[in-house]
């Protein structure tokens, strides 16, 4: 079984401040981990993914995430928030085995608000 | 097309009506997924195809839900006798291969409202 917990359904930061969105996962096998962003009335766009290579993963728009196995975490960060970062962010885990390999489990999302 | 295309984008159905939602994946993509996203929640897995084979339908909430991909490209999600709790965004996604680390590409979704 696999699950994802995103701590904090709403996060508010000032423009230029550090963004930290938290994600903890549970997986019975080595996981593949993903962060997606969703803008209003749009589908999900991949920000970055961890697939057992480097533990620090860099993505688009200046975001990065670090896989910490000991903490079962995959927190998303960005050094300096921009107004255009305001959106919904989803963390997801994907199991790599058998016929369930296609199934991704998503967290409930974190809404990021950026204040001017 | 360049991305995953879904139609209709918006659908209002009367309770008890049948609906069909279409997904055109990215050309050549082997894997296709359907997810349901209720308001304020993350996407929930419904079903997964590899080519025309439906390998996992464990997420389909009831026998009113049916998905097919007969020729391994376009897929249709059908909901029979719609109920209010079916109101959600239905997201389709595709991936080049089964590969677990492969990126999956989402469409913009079909917004279903059952009244």
């Amino acid at each position: 079984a696999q699950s994802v917990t995103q701590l904090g359904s709403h996060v508010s930061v000032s423009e230029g401040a550090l963004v930290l969105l938290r994600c903890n996962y549970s997986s019975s096998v080595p996981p593949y981990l993903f962060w997606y962003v969703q803008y209003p009335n749009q589908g999900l766009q991949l920000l970055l993914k961890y697939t057992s290579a480097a533990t620090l993963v860099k993505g688009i728009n200046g975001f990065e995430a670090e896989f910490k196995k000991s903490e079962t975490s995959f927190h998303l960060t960005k050094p300096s928030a921009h107004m255009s970062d305001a959106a919904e962010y989803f963390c997801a885990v994907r199991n790599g085995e058998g016929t369930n390999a296609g199934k991704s489990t998503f967290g409930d999302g974190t809404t990021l608000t950026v204040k001017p | 097309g360049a991305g995953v295309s879904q139609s209709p984008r918006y659908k209002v159905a009367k309770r008890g009506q049948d609906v069909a939602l279409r997904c055109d994946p990215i050309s050549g993509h082997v894997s296709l997924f359907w997810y349901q996203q209720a308001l304020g929640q993350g996407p929930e897995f419904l079903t997964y195809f590899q080519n025309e084979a439906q390998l996992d339908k464990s997420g389909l909430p009831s026998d009113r839900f049916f998905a097919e991909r007969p020729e391994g490209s376009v897929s249709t999600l059908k909901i029979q006798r719609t109920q209010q709790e079916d109101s959600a965004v239905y997201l389709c996604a595709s991936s080049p291969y089964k590969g677990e680390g492969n990126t999956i590409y989402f469409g913009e979704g079909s917004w279903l409202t059952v009244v």
Side-chain angles (χ1 to χ4, degrees), chain A residues 35 48 56-60 62-66 75-79:
Chain A
W35 274 100
L48 48 81
L56 182 62
V57 181
K58 294 187 183 297
I60 62 172
F63 284 94
E64 62 182 38
E66 186 173 7
H75 301 330
L76 181 70
T77 61
K78 182 174 180 178

Side-chain angles (χ1 to χ4, degrees), chain B residues 31-44:
Chain B
S31 297
L32 185 145
F33 310 85
W34 283 100
Y35 287 84
Q36 179 191 57
Q37 186 176 18
L39 191 63
Q41 297 183 20
E44 295 275 349

Side-chain angles (χ1 to χ4, degrees), chain A residues 32 34 36 38 41-44 46 49 51 90 94-109, chain B residues 9-10 33 35 37 40-43 45 48 55-56 58 91 95 97-104 106-108 111:
Chain A
Y32 297 94
F34 305 81
Y36 293 88
Q38 187 176 36
N41 298 332
Q42 294 187 24
L44 282 76
L46 181 70
K49 63 181 180 181
T51 57
F90 293 95
R94 193 168 171 191
N95 186 320
E97 294 190 346
T99 56
N100 286 326
K103 181 177 181 178
S104 295
T105 299
F106 287 80
D108 285 336
Chain B
R9 285 294 317 277
Y10 304 94
F33 310 85
Y35 287 84
Q37 186 176 18
Q41 297 183 20
F45 173 82
Y48 160 54
L55 297 188
D56 187 348
S58 62
L91 296 168
S95 179
Y97 190 58
K98 169 179 167 295
E100 305 77 18
N102 278 352
T103 298
I104 60 174
F106 282 86
E108 294 189 326
W111 296 65

Side-chain angles (χ1 to χ4, degrees), chain A residues 24-43:
Chain A
N24 287 88
Y25 70 91
S26 171
S27 177
S28 57
V29 297
Y32 297 94
L33 295 160
F34 305 81
W35 274 100
Y36 293 88
V37 61
Q38 187 176 36
Y39 296 100
N41 298 332
Q42 294 187 24

Side-chain angles (χ1 to χ4, degrees), chain A residues 3-4 12-13 24 40 43 45 48-50 73-74 81 83 98 101 103:
Chain A
S3 65
V4 172
S12 180
V13 301
N24 287 88
Q45 180 184 5
L48 48 81
K49 63 181 180 181
Y50 167 76
S73 69
F74 190 57
M83 297 296 290
K103 181 177 181 178

Side-chain angles (χ1 to χ4, degrees), chain B residues 53-68:
Chain B
Q54 190 173 20
L55 297 188
D56 187 348
K57 55 181 181 180
S58 62
L60 296 176
S62 76
D63 59 6
R64 296 187 296 104
F65 286 72
F66 173 75
E68 61 182 3

